[in-house]
Amino acid sequence: MSAVDDDAPALAGAIVYHAGEVCESVDHLWRVLGEVSIPVDGLTDDRQQHKAANGTEPMARVYLYQEIYDLAQSEVADRLEDRPSLLKTLDLDKAPSQQSISYAWKQFSEQTKLTLNAAATGIAQEAVDRGVILEARVPLIPDEDDIEEDRDEPTVTREHIRKQGNKIVELARRHAFGEFDSGRAQNRVYEDEQILDLFASACLTQGSAHSEGEAGWFLDENDVCDDSTFLRVIKQFAMPADQEVSVPLQEQQIEDIVAFTEVFREHLMDAFDTATENILQTIRYEDPFDDRHVVAAVDFTHVPYHVWPWIDKDEQIPKSTYPPMVSGYVDDGELKHGYTFATITIVGNDVPIILGIEGVKEHSDWEPAEVPADSKADAVARLLSRAQQYVDLDEILLDRGFYTRNVRAEIDGRGLLYTMPVPKYESDYEAIKHIKSKDGVDAAVNHDVPVGIDGGVDHTAEYLYVPATSDDADGEYAVFVTNRDHVVPDEIAHVTNSYGRRWDIENQYKSVKAYLPKTSSTDYRVRLFNFTFAALLYNLWRLTDFLVKVGMEREIRSPPVVTARTFVRAVGHSLRKVG
């Protein structure tokens, strides 16, 4: 059935029908608009065609683009001027001005306008139904039949959430999961989608490759591989097709393992980056990062590895086969061991999407001093570069573990603000003592403190002294540092209170870890893929919840409509259905 109303012009129905066919072979809506057939014989354009820079058909495509993307004529003109690829796709000879667009629209007959309006609505719906990346407003707004009025506030029905959510899940499956390619031969027994089906199931149940393979054998499911095949393909997802591991990683020198890790880390991150870009394209039309001050948080998290690194700690004899990417960390005062991952995530008033991941190699006491390790500044630089591909950042929030001059110089050098706590502040005791000696004063600023790099001053920073909370410091006062210009006393509370938005990233880590399947593998390819795919699931959940909230006209940062667990179950169901 066509998405166009029954009383819409037959021509609009024909345009929409062909657009649906085009959707099967292209991945973005604007490409659909470039390829859809528009019979101009049925359109009325009163312009003098021999004088028009662009004919009726390309201007009709422009109008469809404007309507579906919900743009003003000036915005359309700017996009066509700035994007040569879009100009070419819509078959325009030259970028029309706003005046030219307005004039052409006035010269279209009322019947032509009605046809194009109906076609725009239908094409958008076809794109939703067929899982095309939209970059445009989609009709998620519920019909009257989808509204429940018997509560304190009208809300959409569970059926509406289910229908729209499942469409988005299918969109996610098609455009995010598809970026992971094992590079195996065409005669493979199990397709990549079937492996991802198993992985989604493992995420849902916090199971493992073994448990999923065992269940497949017990239930006699032919599309379920054994656990060794599952793990082998997971490793191939993290490897370029032309790369091989000639010697088992466990038998290589630690320096070789670290160097090789860089190869598949970049390969897997490229897949994650492309999948993330696809996700953001689906919600770009709603300006998910339209806050006037876009804030991101950078932090480390650890995935525990429950094996002791020492043969004899007193004698300083380490295990020679201990995984080189595992390091020690302190959690609640207890020394633990685990794999370290860094992320950068949008926080504050915007959609909390993970924009970048870095697997981090830290130096550990049981390793030789010359073993390479990632600096925090390098990790932050890579994360910022990834995030700035997608969004214009304004400020970065970090915890006290990032309090190094090189990290701060990296952020300041990109023209971004930073705010973070100072871990130890013995040198600031006199300033704190001075605050406490003044009646009625509970905060202060130390202005223009130089940040030195390589013997020179890189920039200056403001040190803010405020009463501590349990999360800020061990003493009565906490110290924060920021590269803002000359923070006045009245601004101190705003700056330090805003730092609380960083805790979004702690909630994110809880969700990501809830998706992690169990594994005993010490192969870093498996560990990195597990975390990367779990982070992707997190992003897809946030996308789904965001779009459902848009349709319900609910606050973006309100409690989730679609829970994380429900989303993963839907992903698993979707994969099984198509696998």
Side-chain angles (χ1 to χ4, degrees):
M1 179 178 177
S2 173
V4 179
D5 294 336
D6 292 339
D7 59 350
L11 178 57
I15 294 172
V16 173
Y17 179 82
H18 185 245
E21 294 184 327
V22 173
C23 285
E24 297 299 322
S25 60
V26 301
D27 54 359
H28 283 76
L29 180 56
W30 57 273
R31 292 196 178 101
V32 175
L33 296 179
E35 295 186 21
V36 66
S37 176
I38 302 177
V40 293
D41 291 345
L43 305 180
T44 301
D45 179 1
D46 290 334
R47 292 179 300 159
Q48 297 182 35
Q49 295 299 310
H50 66 283
K51 293 184 178 180
N54 295 292
T56 301
E57 184 173 359
M59 291 307 293
R61 296 183 195 277
V62 169
Y63 186 70
L64 292 173
Y65 179 85
Q66 176 185 334
E67 283 300 293
I68 298 174
Y69 282 62
D70 195 27
L71 300 172
Q73 290 177 345
S74 58
E75 293 175 307
V76 175
D78 289 341
R79 289 194 182 191
L80 292 172
E81 181 68 34
D82 297 337
R83 303 181 186 180
S85 59
L86 178 61
L87 194 74
K88 181 179 179 180
T89 297
L90 299 183
D91 198 28
L92 294 158
D93 292 329
K94 61 179 294 186
S97 64
Q98 177 185 350
Q99 291 77 13
S100 296
I101 296 172
S102 176
Y103 176 74
W105 179 238
K106 290 178 181 178
Q107 299 306 307
F108 285 172
S109 68
E110 290 303 315
Q111 183 69 8
T112 295
K113 294 176 182 177
L114 177 64
T115 298
L116 295 177
N117 277 326
T121 300
I123 292 172
Q125 186 63 60
E126 287 290 336
V128 172
D129 292 341
R130 297 174 186 266
V132 170
I133 295 178
L134 302 172
E135 280 193 295
R137 179 170 295 279
V138 294
L140 288 177
I141 305 302
D143 297 328
E144 290 184 5
D145 293 341
D146 292 322
I147 301 294
E148 291 180 343
E149 301 283 357
D150 57 348
R151 301 188 180 186
D152 293 339
E153 293 184 4
T155 184
V156 297
T157 63
R158 292 175 62 86
E159 177 65 15
H160 176 75
I161 294 174
R162 184 190 65 78
K163 288 189 299 184
Q164 300 297 350
N166 283 336
K167 288 178 182 178
I168 299 165
V169 167
E170 174 57 24
L171 184 74
R173 186 195 66 78
R174 180 175 175 182
H175 295 297
F177 290 5
E179 298 302 332
F180 294 89
D181 183 1
S182 67
R184 293 174 294 148
Q186 293 298 317
N187 61 350
R188 57 201 180 197
V189 176
Y190 299 99
E191 295 297 324
D192 286 351
E193 284 187 350
Q194 292 174 282
I195 302 300
L196 294 175
D197 177 4
L198 280 181
F199 200 92
S201 296
C203 290
L204 169 62
T205 61
Q206 287 198 302
S208 64
H210 176 74
S211 66
E212 292 301 318
E214 188 77 6
W217 166 80
F218 184 77
L219 298 173
D220 195 25
E221 295 178 345
N222 293 329
D223 60 345
V224 176
C225 64
D226 58 54
D227 56 346
S228 61
T229 300
F230 183 31
L231 287 174
R232 184 174 67 253
V233 178
I234 292 302
K235 294 173 187 177
Q236 289 174 298
F237 279 132
M239 291 276 291
D242 58 349
Q243 292 283 333
E244 294 183 359
V245 182
S246 56
V247 179
L249 292 178
Q250 294 88 335
E251 299 176 13
Q252 297 186 28
Q253 296 294 317
I254 188 170
E255 294 85 354
D256 296 329
I257 296 174
V258 172
F260 185 69
T261 296
E262 289 295 320
V263 174
F264 59 78
R265 181 168 67 178
E266 283 303 310
H267 178 72
L268 194 51
M269 289 308 100
D270 284 345
F272 177 83
D273 289 348
T274 306
T276 299
E277 182 176 8
N278 290 348
I279 292 169
L280 296 180
Q281 294 289 14
T282 67
I283 59 177
R284 183 68 68 184
Y285 70 94
E286 286 292 351
D287 289 330
F289 309 128
D290 64 350
D291 196 21
R292 288 178 298 175
H293 189 75
V294 179
V295 182
V298 173
D299 205 354
F300 286 156
T301 191
H302 304 277
V303 177
Y305 179 67
H306 303 290
V307 177
W308 186 245
W310 301 98
I311 294 175
D312 188 325
K313 190 174 188 303
D314 292 336
E315 297 294 329
Q316 294 290 290
I317 304 175
K319 295 176 179 177
S320 61
T321 59
Y322 200 72
M325 297 300 287
V326 173
S327 57
Y329 64 98
V330 176
D331 183 25
D332 290 333
E334 180 182 354
L335 177 62
K336 299 181 179 179
H337 303 89
Y339 295 87
T340 303
F341 301 96
T343 64
I344 183 167
T345 304
I346 296 297
V347 297
N349 298 321
D350 295 312
V351 182
I353 296 290
I354 300 173
L355 297 182
I357 298 173
E358 283 292 322
V360 178
K361 170 68 179 77
E362 298 182 292
H363 188 270
S364 302
D365 293 341
W366 54 85
E367 295 177 333
E370 65 273 13
V371 170
D374 295 316
S375 74
K376 291 180 179 178
D378 288 344
V380 169
R382 291 194 295 266
L383 289 172
L384 290 174
S385 294
R386 293 186 188 281
Q388 288 182 307
Q389 297 177 80
Y390 313 119
V391 61
D392 293 328
L393 298 173
D394 294 298
E395 183 175 3
I396 310 299
L397 306 178
L398 310 97
D399 77 0
R400 56 176 54 86
F402 289 90
Y403 181 74
T404 71
R405 290 175 296 176
N406 287 335
V407 167
R408 294 154 63 196
E410 176 66 37
I411 299 172
D412 186 83
R414 292 172 180 259
L416 304 174
L417 298 177
Y418 64 74
T419 304
M420 69 183 78
V422 178
K424 293 183 179 180
Y425 49 87
E426 288 86 348
S427 61
D428 296 306
Y429 282 156
E430 285 301 316
I432 294 172
K433 183 178 179 181
H434 181 66
I435 298 171
K436 296 174 69 174
S437 68
K438 293 184 177 182
D439 292 337
V441 176
D442 63 356
V445 185
N446 188 6
H447 297 296
D448 301 326
V449 178
V451 178
I453 299 290
D454 298 329
V457 176
D458 185 82
H459 64 282
T460 61
E462 306 282 283
Y463 281 71
L464 315 179
Y465 305 89
V466 296
T469 69
S470 59
D471 294 321
D472 293 328
D474 296 327
E476 296 180 9
Y477 272 78
V479 183
F480 289 83
V481 62
T482 180
N483 61 337
R484 285 172 168 80
D485 290 333
H486 201 81
V487 177
V488 299
D490 289 345
E491 296 175 322
I492 295 174
H494 170 72
V495 174
T496 57
N497 290 341
S498 296
Y499 179 79
R501 293 180 291 186
R502 196 194 69 83
W503 290 107
D504 283 353
I505 204 168
E506 302 298 337
N507 295 328
Q508 161 206 295
Y509 287 145
K510 291 179 182 178
S511 297
V512 170
K513 289 178 181 179
Y515 290 148
L516 285 174
K518 295 177 182 177
T519 183
S520 59
S521 175
T522 59
D523 192 307
Y524 190 60
R525 288 170 293 180
V526 175
R527 296 285 183 162
L528 183 58
F529 182 84
N530 283 4
F531 189 86
T532 300
F533 201 85
L536 181 63
L537 286 176
Y538 172 86
N539 278 353
L540 295 173
W541 163 50
R542 288 297 191 180
L543 161 69
T544 302
D545 187 59
F546 169 75
L547 291 179
V548 170
K549 283 176 179 173
V550 168
M552 298 170 64
E553 298 185 347
R554 184 171 293 188
E555 287 292 328
I556 300 307
R557 298 310 298 265
S558 61
V561 175
V562 179
T563 67
R565 186 59 59 191
T566 297
F567 172 75
V568 174
R569 183 161 186 156
V571 169
H573 176 73
S574 174
L575 284 167
R576 284 189 292 275
K577 188 168 59 176
V578 300

